[in-house]
Amino acid sequence: LSVNSLYGNHVFGGEMWYEYIGDSSGVPNHYMVYLRLYSDQAFLANSQNISVSSSCFATQNLLAVFSPPQGYIQDSLGGYYLPEMRSCDDDSVLAFSYDLYVHHYKKAVILSGNCTDFTFTYSVCCRPGNLSNIPSSGSIMLGIQAKLNNTLGPNTSPGFYTAPITKFCNLVEHNVSHGAAEFDGDSIHYKLSPISGANGVTYSPGYTYQQPIQSVNGVNLNQQSGLLTFNSSQAQVVALRVNAVEYRYDTTFGIWFQVGYSTREIIYFTGNCPNSGNWGFAKDTNGY
C-alpha cells in the first residue's frame, strides 16, 4: 500500500474551529479561525485558503498562514507531531509504515454582522482514490467546515484535544477519543456526519456515514463523550467525519439552539496484524 499513491495532495484529513477574540481586541464580530491539516509530509504550503459564507452577507476569502502548533514536537525534518501520531499497532503491516504530521494555520476575520449560518470552509482536491467506503473517492474534494450562529451572541466553537490515531488492527475492540473542549458553557453533542461532496456522496455497499467501518459489532460514537468504539473485521481504508455540535440554552424561549460546530475528518487504516492478540501501541521504525 503506497502512501504516495494514496495522497496526491498529501492531505488526508483535518479539523476546523474558531475562537471569538472580540473581547480582547474590542472589535465586534472579531474571530480567529483555525485550520489543522494531517499529512504524511513534513511540509505543506505556508498558507491555505478558507472561505466564510452565509445566507446574510457576501462571501469573504481568507488566507490562513502557517503557525507552529503549541504542544507539538518538531522533528529533524521540521515537521510537527504528537507521539501518539507516530504510534502504530503492528509495524509488520505495510499500510502502517508511515509518519503523520500536523500543519496548523490561523487567520483573524471580522464578520459582517449577525447570521444563523456562517460557514467556514477549507477544500482541496482530492480525497484518496482507493477508499473502501466511498466509490470514486479520488475525484471528490476534501472539504472541512465549521459553523457559527452568532445571533445569540459571540461563540467559540469546540476544539478537538486528542491526537488522530489512524492505524488499527482487526478483530480487536478499539476505543478512540474524539473529545473536544468547550469554553462558553454550552453543551456538546457528537455525531458521525456524511462526507461532503459537490453533489453528495454515495457510500459503498455495507457502509454508511453512521457505519463508516466494517466492524464485528458495528460502530458506536458516544454522543456525550465523543468516544468511538469499533472492532474492525477486515482490511480497509475508510474516511469518517465527526462533528462536535454545540447547543446553547435560550432562557427567553426555554429551548436549546445550535450555535455552531467543529469538524474533524480523518482516514482510518485497519489491517490484519500478526500480533493483534497482544494489541498495543508500538514505536515506529524511526524509534519515535
Side-chain angles (χ1 to χ4, degrees):
L1 200 61
S2 168
V3 174
N4 288 333
S5 66
L6 278 175
Y7 308 114
N9 59 27
H10 296 279
V11 175
F12 63 86
E15 304 161 10
M16 185 177 289
W17 72 103
Y18 53 84
E19 176 188 7
Y20 179 66
I21 58 175
D23 287 341
S24 57
S25 70
V27 179
N29 294 315
H30 198 193
Y31 285 81
M32 185 69 72
V33 185
Y34 299 96
L35 173 67
R36 182 176 291 161
L37 300 178
Y38 299 114
S39 169
D40 63 326
Q41 282 197 332
F43 298 102
L44 294 177
N46 288 326
S47 60
Q48 303 289 344
N49 295 306
I50 297 173
S51 67
V52 186
S53 60
S54 72
S55 62
C56 306
F57 307 104
T59 297
Q60 296 175 264
N61 294 306
L62 313 178
L63 190 64
V65 296
F66 178 80
S67 174
Q70 296 182 357
Y72 285 72
I73 301 169
Q74 190 172 25
D75 69 5
S76 59
L77 297 177
Y80 292 86
Y81 68 97
L82 289 176
E84 304 96 296
M85 298 173 68
R86 295 291 181 88
S87 299
C88 66
D89 300 335
D90 194 315
D91 288 313
S92 65
V93 181
L94 182 60
F96 295 169
S97 59
Y98 66 94
D99 291 334
L100 309 182
Y101 292 98
V102 63
H103 307 266
H104 187 74
Y105 302 86
K106 64 180 183 180
K107 177 64 177 179
V109 60
I110 300 173
L111 301 179
S112 301
N114 296 333
C115 196
T116 61
D117 61 355
F118 282 109
T119 304
F120 306 89
T121 302
Y122 165 80
S123 61
V124 66
C125 185
C126 285
R127 289 185 171 87
N130 69 332
L131 294 182
S132 306
N133 61 337
I134 302 175
S136 304
S137 53
S139 60
I140 300 174
M141 296 282 288
L142 170 65
I144 305 170
Q145 297 88 25
K147 279 211 168 187
L148 165 66
N149 170 6
N150 65 345
T151 60
L152 296 181
N155 182 58
T156 294
S157 67
F160 293 96
Y161 56 75
T162 55
I165 307 303
T166 62
K167 298 165 286 186
F168 304 94
C169 291
N170 290 330
L171 304 179
V172 178
E173 182 172 293
H174 301 282
N175 295 283
V176 186
S177 175
H178 292 281
E182 200 287 321
F183 300 100
D184 296 326
D186 300 321
S187 178
I188 302 179
H189 175 89
Y190 298 91
K191 66 177 184 178
L192 289 165
S193 300
I195 299 299
S196 64
N199 298 308
V201 172
T202 300
Y203 283 76
S204 302
Y207 295 94
T208 67
Y209 74 88
Q210 294 172 317
Q211 295 293 317
I213 305 167
Q214 290 286 333
S215 179
V216 174
N217 299 314
V219 178
N220 178 67
L221 178 68
N222 188 301
Q223 297 178 349
Q224 283 72 49
S225 68
L227 188 70
L228 186 73
T229 301
F230 63 93
N231 184 337
S232 52
S233 58
Q234 63 187 52
Q236 57 201 306
V237 183
V238 299
L240 60 90
R241 171 173 293 200
V242 177
N243 281 354
V245 187
E246 193 176 17
Y247 293 89
R248 181 171 300 172
Y249 187 72
D250 189 310
T251 56
T252 301
F253 294 98
I255 58 176
W256 292 88
F257 284 95
Q258 182 177 318
V259 293
Y261 68 70
S262 299
T263 296
R264 166 181 280 180
E265 183 171 324
I266 200 69
I267 288 176
Y268 279 2
F269 295 86
T270 72
N272 299 315
C273 303
N275 301 315
S276 60
N278 297 314
W279 180 85
F281 290 124
K283 293 181 180 180
D284 69 10
T285 53
N286 292 321
Y288 292 109

